[in-house]
Short mmCIF file of all heavy atoms in Angstrom, two decimals:
data_model
loop_
_atom_site.label_atom_id
_atom_site.label_comp_id
_atom_site.label_asym_id
_atom_site.label_seq_id
_atom_site.Cartn_x
_atom_site.Cartn_y
_atom_site.Cartn_z
N MET V 6 0.81 -1.19 0.03
CA MET V 6 -0.06 0.00 0.00
C MET V 6 0.86 1.26 -0.01
O MET V 6 1.84 1.51 0.81
CB MET V 6 -0.94 -0.04 1.20
CG MET V 6 -1.72 1.13 1.36
SD MET V 6 -2.91 0.98 2.71
CE MET V 6 -2.79 2.45 3.50
N ALA V 7 0.65 2.12 -0.90
CA ALA V 7 1.51 3.34 -0.97
C ALA V 7 1.01 4.38 -0.03
O ALA V 7 -0.32 4.56 0.21
CB ALA V 7 1.36 3.89 -2.47
N LEU V 8 1.95 5.09 0.68
CA LEU V 8 1.50 6.12 1.50
C LEU V 8 1.26 7.40 0.72
O LEU V 8 2.09 7.81 -0.16
CB LEU V 8 2.48 6.42 2.57
CG LEU V 8 2.78 5.20 3.59
CD1 LEU V 8 3.89 5.60 4.47
CD2 LEU V 8 1.47 5.02 4.40
N THR V 9 0.26 8.06 0.99
CA THR V 9 -0.09 9.36 0.29
C THR V 9 -0.13 10.51 1.33
O THR V 9 -0.42 10.15 2.62
CB THR V 9 -1.48 9.31 -0.45
OG1 THR V 9 -2.54 9.05 0.54
CG2 THR V 9 -1.39 8.24 -1.54
N PHE V 10 0.16 11.59 0.98
CA PHE V 10 0.11 12.74 1.87
C PHE V 10 -0.90 13.79 1.33
O PHE V 10 -0.76 14.27 0.24
CB PHE V 10 1.48 13.30 2.01
CG PHE V 10 1.52 14.49 3.01
CD1 PHE V 10 1.64 14.14 4.30
CD2 PHE V 10 1.41 15.82 2.62
CE1 PHE V 10 1.72 15.11 5.35
CE2 PHE V 10 1.47 16.83 3.69
CZ PHE V 10 1.58 16.42 4.97
N PRO V 11 -1.82 14.22 2.07
CA PRO V 11 -2.20 13.90 3.43
C PRO V 11 -2.85 12.52 3.35
O PRO V 11 -3.39 12.10 2.29
CB PRO V 11 -3.09 14.89 3.94
CG PRO V 11 -3.71 15.53 2.76
CD PRO V 11 -2.66 15.41 1.62
N ARG V 12 -2.91 11.75 4.51
CA ARG V 12 -3.61 10.47 4.45
C ARG V 12 -4.88 10.70 4.20
O ARG V 12 -5.63 11.74 4.54
CB ARG V 12 -3.34 9.85 5.94
CG ARG V 12 -1.92 9.42 6.08
CD ARG V 12 -1.82 8.66 7.43
NE ARG V 12 -0.29 8.40 7.58
CZ ARG V 12 0.30 8.22 8.73
NH1 ARG V 12 -0.53 8.32 9.89
NH2 ARG V 12 1.56 7.86 8.83
N PRO V 13 -5.71 9.61 3.71
CA PRO V 13 -7.08 9.78 3.35
C PRO V 13 -7.90 10.10 4.65
O PRO V 13 -7.70 9.50 5.76
CB PRO V 13 -7.43 8.42 2.82
CG PRO V 13 -6.14 7.87 2.34
CD PRO V 13 -5.11 8.39 3.21
N GLY V 14 -8.74 11.08 4.56
CA GLY V 14 -9.61 11.37 5.72
C GLY V 14 -9.07 12.50 6.53
O GLY V 14 -9.65 12.95 7.56
N ARG V 15 -7.81 13.07 6.23
CA ARG V 15 -7.20 14.02 7.06
C ARG V 15 -6.95 15.33 6.14
O ARG V 15 -6.70 15.08 4.97
CB ARG V 15 -5.90 13.58 7.68
CG ARG V 15 -6.11 12.46 8.62
CD ARG V 15 -4.92 12.14 9.41
NE ARG V 15 -4.99 11.10 10.33
CZ ARG V 15 -4.12 10.66 11.14
NH1 ARG V 15 -2.90 11.30 11.19
NH2 ARG V 15 -4.41 9.71 12.08
N ARG V 16 -6.85 16.33 6.80
CA ARG V 16 -6.56 17.70 6.06
C ARG V 16 -5.08 17.85 6.00
O ARG V 16 -4.33 17.33 6.92
CB ARG V 16 -7.22 18.87 6.82
CG ARG V 16 -8.74 19.00 6.65
CD ARG V 16 -9.18 20.26 7.31
NE ARG V 16 -8.11 21.05 7.98
CZ ARG V 16 -8.35 22.19 8.66
NH1 ARG V 16 -9.54 22.45 8.93
NH2 ARG V 16 -7.32 22.92 9.19
N ALA V 17 -4.65 18.49 5.10
CA ALA V 17 -3.21 18.92 4.92
C ALA V 17 -2.94 19.97 6.01
O ALA V 17 -3.71 20.73 6.28
CB ALA V 17 -2.80 19.42 3.50
N PRO V 18 -1.74 19.80 6.61
CA PRO V 18 -1.41 20.85 7.65
C PRO V 18 -1.27 22.27 7.07
O PRO V 18 -0.84 22.42 5.87
CB PRO V 18 0.01 20.42 8.15
CG PRO V 18 0.57 19.52 7.14
CD PRO V 18 -0.63 18.95 6.37
N SER V 19 -1.72 23.21 7.75
CA SER V 19 -1.56 24.61 7.37
C SER V 19 -0.91 25.43 8.37
O SER V 19 -0.71 25.16 9.44
CB SER V 19 -3.02 25.23 7.24
OG SER V 19 -3.71 25.30 8.45
N PHE V 20 -0.34 26.48 7.89
CA PHE V 20 0.41 27.46 8.65
C PHE V 20 -0.51 28.16 9.70
O PHE V 20 -0.15 28.60 10.71
CB PHE V 20 1.32 28.50 7.82
CG PHE V 20 2.37 27.85 7.08
CD1 PHE V 20 2.43 27.72 5.80
CD2 PHE V 20 3.51 27.43 7.90
CE1 PHE V 20 3.53 27.16 5.16
CE2 PHE V 20 4.67 26.96 7.25
CZ PHE V 20 4.62 26.81 5.97
N GLY V 21 -1.60 28.56 9.22
CA GLY V 21 -2.54 29.32 9.99
C GLY V 21 -2.14 30.74 9.87
O GLY V 21 -1.18 31.20 9.23
N THR V 22 -2.86 31.65 10.56
CA THR V 22 -2.73 33.14 10.47
C THR V 22 -1.31 33.57 11.13
O THR V 22 -0.62 34.39 10.59
CB THR V 22 -3.80 33.90 11.21
OG1 THR V 22 -5.02 33.41 10.60
CG2 THR V 22 -3.66 35.44 10.97
N CYS V 23 -1.06 33.04 12.32
CA CYS V 23 0.18 33.34 12.94
C CYS V 23 1.47 32.87 12.22
O CYS V 23 2.38 33.52 12.01
CB CYS V 23 0.25 32.71 14.36
SG CYS V 23 -0.95 33.53 15.51
N GLY V 24 1.35 31.62 11.56
CA GLY V 24 2.45 31.12 10.85
C GLY V 24 2.74 31.86 9.47
O GLY V 24 3.85 32.15 9.19
N VAL V 25 1.62 32.38 8.84
CA VAL V 25 1.81 33.10 7.64
C VAL V 25 2.48 34.48 7.98
O VAL V 25 3.28 35.05 7.34
CB VAL V 25 0.52 33.36 6.96
CG1 VAL V 25 0.60 34.36 5.78
CG2 VAL V 25 0.07 31.89 6.40
N LEU V 26 1.95 35.04 9.14
CA LEU V 26 2.49 36.38 9.57
C LEU V 26 4.05 36.28 9.96
O LEU V 26 4.82 37.06 9.50
CB LEU V 26 1.70 36.89 10.79
CG LEU V 26 2.14 38.25 11.36
CD1 LEU V 26 1.98 39.29 10.29
CD2 LEU V 26 1.35 38.63 12.61
N ALA V 27 4.38 35.20 10.67
CA ALA V 27 5.73 35.04 11.04
C ALA V 27 6.66 34.67 9.79
O ALA V 27 7.78 35.24 9.69
CB ALA V 27 5.88 33.83 12.06
N LEU V 28 6.03 33.99 8.86
CA LEU V 28 6.83 33.71 7.58
C LEU V 28 7.06 35.11 6.85
O LEU V 28 8.22 35.33 6.32
CB LEU V 28 6.18 32.68 6.80
CG LEU V 28 6.79 32.15 5.63
CD1 LEU V 28 8.11 31.33 5.99
CD2 LEU V 28 5.95 31.17 4.82
N ALA V 29 6.01 35.86 6.79
CA ALA V 29 6.18 37.08 6.00
C ALA V 29 7.20 38.12 6.75
O ALA V 29 7.88 38.69 6.14
CB ALA V 29 4.71 37.75 5.97
N LEU V 30 7.08 38.05 8.11
CA LEU V 30 8.09 38.97 8.73
C LEU V 30 9.50 38.44 8.64
O LEU V 30 10.40 39.16 8.55
CB LEU V 30 7.70 39.07 10.29
CG LEU V 30 6.40 39.79 10.59
CD1 LEU V 30 6.10 39.57 12.18
CD2 LEU V 30 6.62 41.25 10.30
N GLY V 31 9.62 37.22 8.53
CA GLY V 31 10.99 36.58 8.42
C GLY V 31 11.54 36.88 7.08
O GLY V 31 12.71 37.30 6.94
N PHE V 32 10.79 36.78 5.93
CA PHE V 32 11.22 37.22 4.76
C PHE V 32 11.57 38.67 4.53
O PHE V 32 12.51 39.12 3.96
CB PHE V 32 10.26 36.79 3.59
CG PHE V 32 10.40 35.38 3.18
CD1 PHE V 32 9.22 34.57 3.15
CD2 PHE V 32 11.59 34.81 2.78
CE1 PHE V 32 9.35 33.17 2.89
CE2 PHE V 32 11.68 33.52 2.41
CZ PHE V 32 10.49 32.69 2.53
N GLY V 33 10.71 39.48 5.18
CA GLY V 33 10.89 41.06 5.30
C GLY V 33 12.06 41.22 5.85
O GLY V 33 12.90 42.16 5.48
N ALA V 34 12.47 40.63 7.06
CA ALA V 34 13.74 40.92 7.74
C ALA V 34 14.82 40.50 6.90
O ALA V 34 15.90 41.16 6.93
CB ALA V 34 13.65 40.30 9.10
N ALA V 35 14.81 39.42 6.29
CA ALA V 35 15.89 38.84 5.47
C ALA V 35 16.14 39.83 4.26
O ALA V 35 17.35 40.12 3.93
CB ALA V 35 15.64 37.47 5.06
N LEU V 36 15.08 40.33 3.65
CA LEU V 36 15.26 41.12 2.52
C LEU V 36 15.55 42.50 2.91
O LEU V 36 16.33 43.25 2.18
CB LEU V 36 14.02 41.13 1.52
CG LEU V 36 13.64 39.70 0.97
CD1 LEU V 36 12.47 39.84 0.33
CD2 LEU V 36 14.81 39.29 0.16
N GLY V 37 15.05 43.03 3.95
CA GLY V 37 15.25 44.46 4.44
C GLY V 37 16.65 44.59 4.99
O GLY V 37 17.13 45.67 5.22
N GLY V 38 17.21 43.61 5.65
CA GLY V 38 18.46 43.63 6.39
C GLY V 38 19.61 43.81 5.40
O GLY V 38 20.76 44.16 5.84
N GLY V 39 19.39 43.66 4.15
CA GLY V 39 20.49 43.86 3.24
C GLY V 39 20.90 45.41 2.85
O GLY V 39 21.91 45.65 2.30
N ALA V 40 20.12 46.32 3.39
CA ALA V 40 20.26 47.76 3.21
C ALA V 40 21.63 48.24 3.88
O ALA V 40 22.32 48.99 3.30
CB ALA V 40 19.13 48.60 3.71
N LEU V 41 21.96 47.65 5.05
CA LEU V 41 23.11 48.10 5.77
C LEU V 41 24.26 47.27 5.41
O LEU V 41 25.43 47.33 5.87
CB LEU V 41 22.84 47.88 7.25
CG LEU V 41 21.83 48.88 7.85
CD1 LEU V 41 21.50 48.62 9.25
CD2 LEU V 41 22.11 50.25 7.68
N ALA V 42 24.22 46.23 4.53
CA ALA V 42 25.23 45.38 4.22
C ALA V 42 26.41 45.96 3.52
O ALA V 42 27.54 45.55 3.57
CB ALA V 42 24.71 44.17 3.38
N GLY V 43 26.20 47.08 2.68
CA GLY V 43 27.22 47.70 2.00
C GLY V 43 28.09 48.65 2.98
O GLY V 43 29.17 49.00 2.50
N GLN V 44 27.72 48.84 4.19
CA GLN V 44 28.49 49.66 5.06
C GLN V 44 29.39 48.72 5.93
O GLN V 44 28.86 47.80 6.39
CB GLN V 44 27.68 50.57 5.88
CG GLN V 44 26.66 51.46 5.12
CD GLN V 44 25.74 52.21 6.10
OE1 GLN V 44 25.68 51.93 7.22
NE2 GLN V 44 25.02 53.20 5.58
N PRO V 45 30.71 49.15 6.15
CA PRO V 45 31.46 48.34 6.99
C PRO V 45 31.07 48.52 8.50
O PRO V 45 30.43 49.60 8.77
CB PRO V 45 32.87 48.90 6.79
CG PRO V 45 32.66 50.38 6.27
CD PRO V 45 31.36 50.30 5.50
N PRO V 46 31.26 47.62 9.32
CA PRO V 46 30.79 47.75 10.69
C PRO V 46 31.64 48.77 11.39
O PRO V 46 32.86 49.01 11.08
CB PRO V 46 31.04 46.34 11.29
CG PRO V 46 32.09 45.77 10.30
CD PRO V 46 31.88 46.36 8.93
N ALA V 47 31.13 49.40 12.29
CA ALA V 47 31.78 50.44 13.07
C ALA V 47 32.76 49.84 14.02
O ALA V 47 32.61 48.87 14.67
CB ALA V 47 30.85 51.26 13.89
N ASN V 48 34.06 50.47 14.03
CA ASN V 48 35.13 49.95 14.76
C ASN V 48 35.20 50.66 16.02
O ASN V 48 35.49 51.87 16.07
CB ASN V 48 36.48 49.96 14.03
CG ASN V 48 37.58 49.20 14.72
OD1 ASN V 48 37.35 48.59 15.73
ND2 ASN V 48 38.74 49.17 14.09
N GLU V 49 34.98 50.07 17.26
CA GLU V 49 34.92 50.70 18.49
C GLU V 49 36.25 50.69 19.24
O GLU V 49 36.47 51.42 20.13
CB GLU V 49 33.97 50.03 19.42
CG GLU V 49 32.51 50.11 18.95
CD GLU V 49 31.54 49.41 19.80
OE1 GLU V 49 31.92 48.84 20.88
OE2 GLU V 49 30.31 49.45 19.44
N ILE V 50 37.27 49.99 18.66
CA ILE V 50 38.63 49.93 19.20
C ILE V 50 39.42 51.03 18.67
O ILE V 50 39.52 51.24 17.44
CB ILE V 50 39.31 48.67 18.92
CG1 ILE V 50 38.50 47.40 19.46
CG2 ILE V 50 40.74 48.57 19.53
CD1 ILE V 50 39.09 46.08 19.14
N PRO V 51 40.00 51.87 19.55
CA PRO V 51 40.83 53.02 19.03
C PRO V 51 41.98 52.62 18.26
O PRO V 51 42.47 51.36 18.45
CB PRO V 51 41.18 53.76 20.29
CG PRO V 51 41.02 52.83 21.38
CD PRO V 51 39.99 51.89 21.11
N ALA V 52 42.61 53.41 17.41
CA ALA V 52 43.73 52.93 16.63
C ALA V 52 44.87 52.63 17.54
O ALA V 52 45.72 51.68 17.09
CB ALA V 52 44.08 54.14 15.59
N GLU V 53 45.08 53.38 18.49
CA GLU V 53 46.22 53.08 19.54
C GLU V 53 45.59 52.67 20.85
O GLU V 53 45.16 53.66 21.58
CB GLU V 53 47.09 54.27 19.57
CG GLU V 53 48.47 53.93 20.21
CD GLU V 53 49.44 55.06 20.04
OE1 GLU V 53 49.57 55.65 18.94
OE2 GLU V 53 50.03 55.44 20.93
N PHE V 54 45.64 51.53 21.29
CA PHE V 54 45.06 51.16 22.47
C PHE V 54 46.06 50.91 23.57
O PHE V 54 47.03 50.22 23.42
CB PHE V 54 44.30 49.70 22.36
CG PHE V 54 43.72 49.33 23.67
CD1 PHE V 54 42.53 49.89 24.12
CD2 PHE V 54 44.26 48.15 24.22
CE1 PHE V 54 42.12 49.41 25.32
CE2 PHE V 54 43.67 47.73 25.54
CZ PHE V 54 42.52 48.36 26.08
N LYS V 55 45.94 51.59 24.71
CA LYS V 55 47.04 51.54 25.80
C LYS V 55 46.20 51.26 27.10
O LYS V 55 45.49 52.23 27.62
CB LYS V 55 47.86 52.78 25.98
CG LYS V 55 48.91 52.64 26.88
CD LYS V 55 49.86 53.87 26.92
CE LYS V 55 50.85 53.70 27.91
NZ LYS V 55 51.62 54.94 28.09
N PRO V 56 46.30 50.16 27.67
CA PRO V 56 45.51 49.89 28.95
C PRO V 56 46.11 50.68 30.19
O PRO V 56 47.30 50.96 30.10
CB PRO V 56 45.76 48.32 29.20
CG PRO V 56 46.90 48.03 28.39
CD PRO V 56 47.01 48.86 27.30
N HIS V 57 45.30 51.08 31.02
CA HIS V 57 45.70 51.83 32.22
C HIS V 57 46.02 50.84 33.30
O HIS V 57 45.22 50.34 34.13
CB HIS V 57 44.67 52.76 32.69
CG HIS V 57 44.25 53.73 31.61
ND1 HIS V 57 44.91 54.83 31.28
CD2 HIS V 57 43.14 53.83 30.84
CE1 HIS V 57 44.37 55.58 30.29
NE2 HIS V 57 43.29 54.93 29.96
N VAL V 58 47.36 50.29 33.34
CA VAL V 58 47.74 49.35 34.36
C VAL V 58 48.22 50.13 35.62
O VAL V 58 48.42 49.40 36.62
CB VAL V 58 48.87 48.51 33.74
CG1 VAL V 58 48.34 47.64 32.59
CG2 VAL V 58 50.04 49.30 33.30
N ASP V 59 48.34 51.44 35.62
CA ASP V 59 48.84 52.09 36.83
C ASP V 59 47.83 51.97 37.93
O ASP V 59 48.14 52.31 39.12
CB ASP V 59 49.31 53.48 36.49
CG ASP V 59 48.27 54.29 35.82
OD1 ASP V 59 47.33 53.68 35.37
OD2 ASP V 59 48.40 55.51 35.83
N THR V 60 46.52 51.81 37.67
CA THR V 60 45.47 51.82 38.70
C THR V 60 45.25 50.50 39.20
O THR V 60 44.31 50.32 40.19
CB THR V 60 44.23 52.44 38.08
OG1 THR V 60 43.83 51.63 36.94
CG2 THR V 60 44.31 53.81 37.67
N PHE V 61 45.93 49.48 38.74
CA PHE V 61 45.60 48.10 39.23
C PHE V 61 46.23 48.02 40.75
O PHE V 61 47.33 48.56 40.96
CB PHE V 61 46.23 47.02 38.44
CG PHE V 61 45.74 46.96 37.05
CD1 PHE V 61 46.20 46.15 35.98
CD2 PHE V 61 44.38 47.49 36.82
CE1 PHE V 61 45.80 46.04 34.77
CE2 PHE V 61 43.88 47.31 35.59
CZ PHE V 61 44.46 46.62 34.58
N ASP V 62 45.55 47.29 41.58
CA ASP V 62 45.97 47.21 42.84
C ASP V 62 46.54 45.77 43.18
O ASP V 62 46.39 45.28 44.28
CB ASP V 62 45.00 47.55 44.01
CG ASP V 62 43.69 46.72 43.88
OD1 ASP V 62 43.61 45.99 42.87
OD2 ASP V 62 42.89 46.76 44.72
N TYR V 63 47.22 45.21 42.27
CA TYR V 63 47.82 43.87 42.39
C TYR V 63 49.11 43.80 41.48
O TYR V 63 49.22 44.48 40.59
CB TYR V 63 46.81 42.72 41.96
CG TYR V 63 46.37 42.88 40.62
CD1 TYR V 63 47.06 42.33 39.47
CD2 TYR V 63 45.17 43.38 40.40
CE1 TYR V 63 46.57 42.29 38.35
CE2 TYR V 63 44.66 43.37 39.02
CZ TYR V 63 45.34 42.99 37.98
OH TYR V 63 44.86 43.04 36.74
N THR V 64 49.90 42.78 41.90
CA THR V 64 51.10 42.55 41.09
C THR V 64 50.80 41.20 40.24
O THR V 64 50.30 40.26 40.89
CB THR V 64 52.36 42.25 41.93
OG1 THR V 64 52.53 43.40 42.79
CG2 THR V 64 53.57 42.05 41.10
N ARG V 65 51.11 41.26 38.97
CA ARG V 65 50.75 40.17 38.09
C ARG V 65 52.08 39.39 37.78
O ARG V 65 53.07 40.04 37.28
CB ARG V 65 50.08 40.65 36.82
CG ARG V 65 49.81 39.66 35.85
CD ARG V 65 49.23 40.24 34.61
NE ARG V 65 49.18 39.25 33.61
CZ ARG V 65 48.26 39.32 32.65
NH1 ARG V 65 47.30 40.32 32.55
NH2 ARG V 65 48.19 38.44 31.62
N ARG V 66 52.09 38.09 38.00
CA ARG V 66 53.16 37.25 37.57
C ARG V 66 52.69 36.10 36.65
O ARG V 66 51.89 35.44 36.99
CB ARG V 66 53.80 36.65 38.87
CG ARG V 66 54.61 37.72 39.75
CD ARG V 66 55.14 37.14 41.00
NE ARG V 66 55.95 36.01 40.83
CZ ARG V 66 56.33 35.03 41.71
NH1 ARG V 66 56.02 35.42 42.91
NH2 ARG V 66 57.03 34.19 41.48
N ASP V 67 53.52 35.92 35.59
CA ASP V 67 53.17 34.85 34.66
C ASP V 67 54.36 33.88 34.87
O ASP V 67 55.52 34.17 34.73
CB ASP V 67 53.30 35.21 33.17
CG ASP V 67 51.88 35.83 32.70
OD1 ASP V 67 50.93 35.33 33.12
OD2 ASP V 67 51.97 36.85 31.80
N VAL V 68 54.02 32.68 35.39
CA VAL V 68 54.96 31.57 35.58
C VAL V 68 54.69 30.33 34.96
O VAL V 68 53.42 30.10 34.68
CB VAL V 68 55.21 31.40 37.22
CG1 VAL V 68 55.76 32.69 37.76
CG2 VAL V 68 54.01 31.09 37.83
N MET V 69 55.76 29.43 34.71
CA MET V 69 55.48 28.15 34.20
C MET V 69 55.78 27.19 35.31
O MET V 69 56.87 27.00 35.82
CB MET V 69 56.42 27.84 33.00
CG MET V 69 56.15 28.85 31.87
SD MET V 69 54.54 28.60 31.16
CE MET V 69 54.82 27.13 30.14
N ILE V 70 54.78 26.41 35.80
CA ILE V 70 54.94 25.56 36.92
C ILE V 70 55.13 24.13 36.39
O ILE V 70 54.22 23.61 35.66
CB ILE V 70 53.66 25.48 37.90
CG1 ILE V 70 53.53 26.95 38.51
CG2 ILE V 70 53.77 24.55 38.95
CD1 ILE V 70 52.36 27.14 39.36
N PRO V 71 56.35 23.46 36.74
CA PRO V 71 56.52 22.19 36.26
C PRO V 71 55.47 21.09 36.82
O PRO V 71 55.29 21.14 38.09
CB PRO V 71 57.89 21.73 36.61
CG PRO V 71 58.21 22.71 37.61
CD PRO V 71 57.37 23.98 37.52
N MET V 72 54.87 20.22 36.03
CA MET V 72 53.97 19.20 36.54
C MET V 72 54.71 17.81 36.69
O MET V 72 55.91 17.70 36.31
CB MET V 72 52.89 18.92 35.64
CG MET V 72 51.87 20.19 35.41
SD MET V 72 50.96 20.44 36.83
CE MET V 72 51.65 21.86 37.55
N ARG V 73 54.20 16.77 37.38
CA ARG V 73 54.89 15.55 37.60
C ARG V 73 55.18 14.84 36.19
O ARG V 73 56.17 14.09 36.25
CB ARG V 73 53.99 14.63 38.54
CG ARG V 73 53.90 15.16 39.91
CD ARG V 73 53.23 14.24 40.69
NE ARG V 73 51.83 14.31 40.39
CZ ARG V 73 50.85 13.63 41.03
NH1 ARG V 73 51.23 12.72 42.01
NH2 ARG V 73 49.64 13.78 40.70
N ASP V 74 54.37 14.99 35.17
CA ASP V 74 54.56 14.24 33.99
C ASP V 74 55.57 14.99 33.03
O ASP V 74 55.91 14.53 31.96
CB ASP V 74 53.21 14.06 33.21
CG ASP V 74 52.51 15.30 32.88
OD1 ASP V 74 53.06 16.41 33.26
OD2 ASP V 74 51.51 15.33 32.17
N GLY V 75 56.17 16.05 33.49
CA GLY V 75 57.17 16.79 32.71
C GLY V 75 56.76 18.01 31.89
O GLY V 75 57.57 18.75 31.55
N VAL V 76 55.47 18.11 31.74
CA VAL V 76 54.97 19.31 31.06
C VAL V 76 54.92 20.44 32.02
O VAL V 76 54.92 20.41 33.22
CB VAL V 76 53.54 19.11 30.40
CG1 VAL V 76 53.60 18.06 29.39
CG2 VAL V 76 52.53 18.87 31.44
N LYS V 77 54.84 21.69 31.49
CA LYS V 77 54.84 22.96 32.33
C LYS V 77 53.46 23.58 32.13
O LYS V 77 52.86 23.52 31.10
CB LYS V 77 55.90 23.91 31.93
CG LYS V 77 57.30 23.36 32.26
CD LYS V 77 58.34 24.42 32.00
CE LYS V 77 59.72 23.84 32.51
NZ LYS V 77 60.82 24.79 32.24
N LEU V 78 52.88 23.93 33.18
CA LEU V 78 51.57 24.61 33.22
C LEU V 78 51.79 26.15 33.33
O LEU V 78 52.32 26.61 34.33
CB LEU V 78 50.70 24.13 34.36
CG LEU V 78 49.39 24.65 34.66
CD1 LEU V 78 48.49 24.38 33.50
CD2 LEU V 78 48.78 24.28 35.96
N LYS V 79 51.23 26.86 32.42
CA LYS V 79 51.30 28.37 32.37
C LYS V 79 50.30 28.89 33.42
O LYS V 79 49.16 28.54 33.47
CB LYS V 79 51.02 28.93 30.95
CG LYS V 79 51.06 30.37 30.98
CD LYS V 79 50.84 31.08 29.65
CE LYS V 79 51.00 32.59 29.76
NZ LYS V 79 50.75 33.19 28.60
N THR V 80 50.81 29.70 34.37
CA THR V 80 49.90 30.00 35.47
C THR V 80 50.10 31.57 35.59
O THR V 80 51.15 32.08 35.55
CB THR V 80 50.34 29.35 36.83
OG1 THR V 80 50.35 27.99 36.55
CG2 THR V 80 49.49 29.63 37.91
N LEU V 81 48.97 32.18 35.93
CA LEU V 81 48.91 33.58 36.23
C LEU V 81 48.68 33.85 37.68
O LEU V 81 47.70 33.26 38.19
CB LEU V 81 47.87 34.27 35.33
CG LEU V 81 47.61 35.79 35.68
CD1 LEU V 81 48.75 36.66 35.11
CD2 LEU V 81 46.39 36.20 34.93
N ILE V 82 49.63 34.48 38.35
CA ILE V 82 49.47 34.59 39.78
C ILE V 82 49.21 36.19 40.03
O ILE V 82 49.99 36.95 39.54
CB ILE V 82 50.83 34.18 40.60
CG1 ILE V 82 51.00 32.72 40.24
CG2 ILE V 82 50.67 34.52 42.07
CD1 ILE V 82 52.41 32.28 40.93
N LEU V 83 48.20 36.45 40.73
CA LEU V 83 47.87 37.86 41.14
C LEU V 83 48.01 37.94 42.51
O LEU V 83 47.43 37.39 43.40
CB LEU V 83 46.40 38.04 40.74
CG LEU V 83 46.06 37.96 39.22
CD1 LEU V 83 44.57 38.19 39.06
CD2 LEU V 83 46.90 38.89 38.27
N ILE V 84 49.02 38.95 42.91
CA ILE V 84 49.31 39.15 44.23
C ILE V 84 48.74 40.53 44.65
O ILE V 84 49.08 41.51 44.11
CB ILE V 84 50.87 39.15 44.60
CG1 ILE V 84 51.40 37.74 44.13
CG2 ILE V 84 51.19 39.42 46.02
CD1 ILE V 84 52.98 37.77 43.93
N PRO V 85 47.91 40.55 45.73
CA PRO V 85 47.22 41.85 46.04
C PRO V 85 48.47 42.83 46.54
O PRO V 85 49.36 42.46 47.20
CB PRO V 85 46.34 41.48 47.28
CG PRO V 85 46.06 40.02 47.08
CD PRO V 85 47.22 39.55 46.50
N GLY V 86 48.16 44.19 46.13
CA GLY V 86 49.34 45.13 46.47
C GLY V 86 48.97 45.97 47.70
O GLY V 86 48.10 46.15 48.40
#
């Protein structure tokens, strides 16, 4: 016996009003979103970035701690100042 869609005696599934509205909004957003595609994204990072480390109240140490299997673990130690 061959399966047919929809099965005999049943209606085909429909989107309904909400489904059609969501589908229309989705296509509208996809098509309307291309208006800004020609512009490059705004860069918020300044050309010359210099962090203000003089206000930190800790001392930072990067050390390599040897493990039992011979590898070294990179560790960041922060010592309060």
